[in-house]
Amino acid sequence: MYRSHEKEKKNAYNQRVIKVEKATFTPLVFSTTGGMGEECAAFLKHLAEKISLKTGQRYCEVIAFIRRRLRFDLLRTCLISLRGYRGKASARAAAVESLDLNLRPQAVY
């Protein structure tokens, strides 16, 4: 299922991205239950590795945070599509720079 959707997205967008943007295209294919395609999984691993090296946090914590966050965001999106949005219209997401991916409390000295 994921491969067919990845292939469909590549057929639709890959040529335009290569010609116009002079870049590469990686389709990020998810299911509503949090599953993902092979290319998406490879992308997330690469992203987690880069974040881990930049922030100094362990790779396993970073990839777990990314996967957990994506799954909850997918779940929220599915609920919104079924029930409608019931929150404040001006809610803002936290800045990426301020996120600490190690979710355990830090010791204060």
Side-chain angles (χ1 to χ4, degrees):
M1 175 178 79
Y2 298 120
R3 284 188 186 167
S4 65
H5 290 293
E6 284 178 345
K7 189 175 180 180
E8 183 179 323
K9 278 190 170 189
K10 277 214 173 207
N11 289 338
Y13 300 111
N14 201 30
Q15 291 301 319
R16 187 192 71 80
V17 170
I18 290 172
K19 288 180 182 177
V20 176
E21 305 289 333
K22 307 274 191 282
T24 59
F25 178 72
T26 301
L28 302 181
V29 176
F30 295 95
S31 70
T32 56
T33 58
M36 62 188 79
E38 290 178 23
E39 289 190 46
C40 183
F43 168 78
L44 291 179
K45 288 177 184 178
H46 186 71
L47 177 66
E49 184 179 344
K50 287 194 174 277
I51 292 172
S52 174
L53 291 173
K54 185 171 184 175
T55 62
Q57 295 181 352
R58 293 185 350 202
Y59 171 82
C60 62
E61 293 171 351
V62 174
I63 193 71
F65 175 82
I66 291 172
R67 288 177 179 158
R68 187 178 326 110
R69 181 72 187 254
L70 280 171
R71 287 189 175 114
F72 276 107
D73 287 343
L74 287 168
L75 177 61
R76 183 180 332 126
T77 303
C78 290
L79 289 173
I80 289 171
S81 69
L82 292 173
R83 296 181 3 182
Y85 188 70
R86 297 181 183 191
K88 294 181 181 178
S90 64
R92 291 188 174 200
V96 174
E97 295 83 21
S98 66
L99 287 178
D100 182 19
L101 304 181
N102 187 356
L103 300 176
R104 291 176 284 175
Q106 298 293 324
V108 178
Y109 297 101

